[in-house]
Each structure stands twice: as structure tokens, then as C-alpha cells.
Amino acid sequence: TTTTITGATGYTVGDGSDVDRWGDKTGTAIGTATGSTDYTADPRWWTNAARAVTLTAKTSNFTGGVVQVTVFYWSAAGA
């Protein structure tokens, strides 16, 4: 969270089919972040197709705030 979230008590980060695949965080202060203990996805999970990233407000709607989403990817060419 880079700007304090208002309106909600936290958020989940999902892919559209699993609401908390990559995060389930209660907290709205600057610096709040999700980590491997906050999600339901297997940490070895990978996909060969694009996925949506969906943030869902907890307990109410977002009325303000900014969350930075960082994605890491790996690309390998076959031999």
C-alpha cells in the first residue's frame, strides 16, 4: 500500500476465479503488503497464460488509497 486505503478494512488479491489467490490482507496503512503467508496459491504455481489481477475491498468499498502491484515473470526458450 503506497497511499493509505480508506473505506475498506483491507483487501484481497485474486485472479478473477480465486479471490485471494495472491493475497488476503487486513490493514490499510502505508507499507501494508501481502506475502507468501497471505495467499492460497501454491508457491510453486505457474501459468502459461495471462491472468487478471483483481483487488477486492474487504467489509466495504474502496474510497481512496493506492496499492502497488508487482509481477515477476520468467521466460525461457526451448532448446
Side-chain angles (χ1 to χ4, degrees):
T1 305
T2 58
T3 303
T4 300
I5 294 171
T6 57
T9 60
Y11 57 90
T12 59
V13 184
D15 67 355
S17 63
D18 181 353
V19 70
D20 61 353
R21 177 175 296 274
W22 298 301
D24 184 346
K25 187 52 85 178
T26 299
T28 59
I30 293 172
T32 301
T34 62
S36 61
T37 60
D38 301 315
Y39 55 73
T40 59
D42 183 329
R44 300 162 295 172
W45 180 82
W46 63 276
T47 182
N48 60 357
R51 292 282 192 163
V53 176
T54 306
L55 270 64
T56 304
K58 293 172 75 172
T59 69
S60 189
N61 294 322
F62 292 121
T63 58
V66 176
V67 174
Q68 177 179 330
V69 177
T70 304
V71 177
F72 296 95
Y73 72 96
W74 178 61
S75 177

